[in-house]
Amino acid sequence: MGRTTLLLITVVLVAYYVYTPLPGDIEEPWKLILEITTGNIFRNLASIAELLGINHYMSTVQLFLRLQEVPATSDENVTVIDTAFSSVPVRIFMPKRKSETLRRGLFYIHGGGWCLGSAALSLYDLLARNTADRLDAIVVSTDYGLAPKFHFPRQFEDVYSALRWFLQEDVLERYGVDPRRVGVAGDSAGGNLAAAVTQQLIQDPDVKTKLKVQALVYPALQALDINLPSYQEGSYFPILSPSLMARFWSEYFTTDRTLEKAMLLNQHVPLESIHLFQFVNWSSLLPERYKKGHVYKSPTPGSSELSKKYPGFLDVKACPLLANDNTLSHLPLTYIITCQYDVLRDDGLMYVMRLQNAGVHVTHHHIEDGFHGAFTLHGFKIAHRIQNQYLSWLMKNL
Ligand SMILES: *[C@@H]1O[C@H](CO)[C@@H](O)[C@H](O)[C@H]1NC(C)=O
Ligand SMILES: *[C@@H]1O[C@H](CO)[C@@H](O)[C@H](O)[C@H]1NC(C)=O
């Protein structure tokens, strides 16, 4: 009896742990549940370590991720090296086949909520390797300082310095890159940094090379309204929950968790900054179908204490959606991927709308059965599908 009860309790606990409600039309659901459960084990261990005061949550998760890093290894098609651009570590992927002409150049920025990941992470290594091979492009996959050790603007500045280094004429020449065919790309927090440095670059008189394209894969683009419809719908979205996203955003600016608490209440923007809400107003910036079932309520203004201490969350370099129309109108050809089951969906949708209103040429792919992280889930059909779309767009436009 005792043993049966114990077995029953164990089965229930395991089932409860593994149970992950997924939206109905997601492909390969069991494979995904297995992936999510594995991730959850590490994340729960990281939470316990944090509760016990042993280690910062993000630092523990990053430790687990380090186990998935691979050294820079060339294969039959691509030469891979680790080096530094302006003291920022980068991994470069160079096709081996002979080329009569100069090549495309793609500067890639990995995701991980400004806290996690690296160019050496096997999934980013593989992505950059495939990109270099398929596009016959020089791919520079950059690292940057991560929270909690470093906060905004360090992430932005690292990426910007490495990019500026790459865009120098003699550097492009050394790698055989055509200065008229250089693009920037990134996913998630990397998409945030890609959008931010692209905006910065068009205002930088010292940089002569112009970007041809920017490609943003489910980018995070604003930290002012953490209660968009996609956040409201997001509690059952796989991989990235609304609360984890609030944690990532607040960690970008500070380890002080009062910012995260205010963000979760959507009360972190001070009264003197409410004019910025117009740039993230989903009531005016989302297409009708994504507004359905939601009533617009602008965020509640909070005290100005937080923004005095951590002004970064109101900075356009952290929130590219805050750029004015004039800045936006000078942006290069843009590719944006959004996923239906992603808390960052509405950030991307609003940027598409704002860029189009400013006259920028935008190609927008909305993945109806997509979710956050799907782009780099190698071995999943959905990753294959999204990467193919992304690569064929770059093939045509870069
Ligand atoms: C190298 O390219 C060839 C031809 O496209 C392909 O068949 C092979 O799988 C590639 N090798 C690797 C390691 O990707
Ligand atoms: C948001 O947009 C709606 C509809 O265009 C408008 O009525 C509302 O005043 C706007 N709110 C803010 C804070 O910009």
Side-chain angles (χ1 to χ4, degrees):
M1 173 65 192
R3 212 182 275 175
T4 321
T5 316
L6 201 66
L7 186 69
L8 204 66
I9 291 174
T10 313
V11 168
V12 169
L13 282 180
V14 169
Y16 176 76
Y17 196 75
V18 172
Y19 176 70
T20 314
L22 289 179
D25 55 344
I26 283 185
E27 239 175 10
E28 306 180 283
W30 280 104
K31 210 165 142 187
L32 181 60
I33 286 174
L34 192 68
E35 184 82 18
I36 292 172
T37 306
T38 318
N40 282 348
I41 293 172
F42 291 118
R43 277 157 54 167
N44 293 352
L45 288 173
S47 297
I48 294 168
E50 183 163 76
L51 277 173
L52 296 177
I54 298 171
N55 200 8
H56 190 282
Y57 174 79
M58 296 297 176
S59 309
T60 312
V61 179
Q62 179 68 346
L63 231 104
F64 290 130
L65 288 178
R66 290 256 180 257
L67 303 174
Q68 297 171 41
E69 291 188 342
V70 291
T73 312
S74 304
D75 62 33
E76 53 185 311
N77 303 324
V78 184
T79 304
V80 183
I81 57 158
D82 280 339
T83 179
F85 278 1
S86 181
S87 318
V88 178
V90 297
R91 181 167 289 191
I92 307 184
F93 300 78
M94 299 167 281
K96 277 187 175 164
R97 72 180 85 108
K98 290 261 172 303
S99 176
E100 299 299 316
T101 55
L102 293 172
R103 290 196 156 95
R104 301 174 166 103
L106 186 69
F107 185 86
Y108 196 86
I109 311 161
H110 72 77
W114 310 277
C115 301
L116 307 171
S118 64
L121 206 58
S122 62
L123 58 91
Y124 285 114
D125 181 282
L126 192 56
L127 174 68
R129 196 176 285 272
N130 289 342
T131 308
D133 191 30
R134 294 260 303 267
L135 295 180
D136 193 26
I138 302 292
V139 177
V140 174
S141 184
T142 191
D143 279 329
Y144 44 92
L146 298 173
K149 191 159 180 212
F150 302 107
H151 297 287
F152 177 84
R154 174 64 185 258
Q155 286 79 345
F156 171 87
E157 282 173 354
D158 277 359
V159 171
Y160 196 56
S161 322
L163 175 60
R164 279 185 49 139
W165 183 271
F166 181 48
L167 293 180
Q168 294 174 98
E169 257 170 65
D170 54 331
V171 176
L172 292 175
E173 198 180 305
R174 191 178 325 145
Y175 290 100
V177 174
D178 184 341
R180 291 160 306 177
R181 299 178 83 184
V182 184
V184 164
D187 62 300
S188 192
N192 165 274
L193 291 162
V197 295
T198 304
Q199 289 184 2
Q200 187 70 16
L201 211 58
I202 54 178
Q203 301 168 73
D204 191 333
D206 299 336
V207 184
K208 297 288 170 278
T209 314
K210 295 277 167 273
L211 292 177
K212 187 162 186 208
V213 304
Q214 61 171 340
L216 313 175
V217 180
Y218 37 68
L221 295 164
Q222 61 86 30
L224 273 66
D225 190 348
I226 306 291
N227 197 34
L228 305 171
S230 53
Y231 277 86
Q232 293 177 37
E233 295 164 16
S235 38
Y236 287 117
F237 293 172
I239 299 182
L240 181 63
S241 65
S243 55
L244 180 59
M245 193 58 223
R247 177 95 200 244
F248 279 137
W249 267 124
S250 62
E251 290 290 342
Y252 191 15
F253 308 108
T254 173
T255 303
D256 170 3
R257 298 194 65 183
T258 53
L259 179 59
E260 181 193 2
K261 287 202 190 84
M263 279 182 168
L264 286 169
L265 296 168
N266 220 24
Q267 287 184 6
H268 50 297
V269 177
L271 197 60
E272 61 267 28
S273 302
I274 59 169
H275 62 282
L276 297 175
F277 287 146
Q278 62 178 301
F279 298 123
V280 299
N281 184 342
W282 63 261
S283 174
S284 54
L285 294 171
L286 278 188
E288 281 309 317
R289 66 171 276 222
Y290 301 98
K291 293 197 245 178
K292 282 213 181 80
H294 298 279
V295 179
Y296 182 74
K297 190 173 161 291
S298 90
T300 316
S303 85
S304 50
E305 220 169 289
L306 282 171
S307 60
K308 281 209 187 86
K309 275 201 246 173
Y310 317 114
F313 71 82
L314 298 172
D315 193 319
V316 66
K317 295 194 195 84
C319 303
L321 259 169
L322 300 182
N324 61 36
D325 287 345
N326 182 45
T327 304
L328 296 185
S329 71
H330 293 98
L331 288 172
L333 195 59
T334 298
Y335 179 67
I336 296 185
I337 289 178
T338 54
C339 288
Q340 180 64 20
Y341 306 118
D342 180 0
V343 294
L344 297 179
R345 177 191 74 205
D346 297 346
D347 281 24
L349 292 172
M350 291 197 292
Y351 207 43
V352 170
M353 181 74 91
R354 290 213 51 217
L355 292 178
Q356 284 172 341
N357 290 347
V360 179
H361 290 282
V362 184
T363 305
H364 174 213
H365 280 157
H366 184 68
I367 316 292
E368 288 295 345
D369 61 344
F371 50 90
H372 203 79
F375 181 60
T376 49
L377 269 184
H378 298 284
F380 283 69
K381 286 184 199 154
I382 190 163
H384 190 68
R385 190 159 27 101
I386 306 179
Q387 285 188 20
N388 275 340
Q389 289 193 358
Y390 162 85
L391 290 173
S392 39
W393 186 85
L394 286 172
M395 189 79 87
K396 277 198 208 92
N397 295 287
L398 178 57

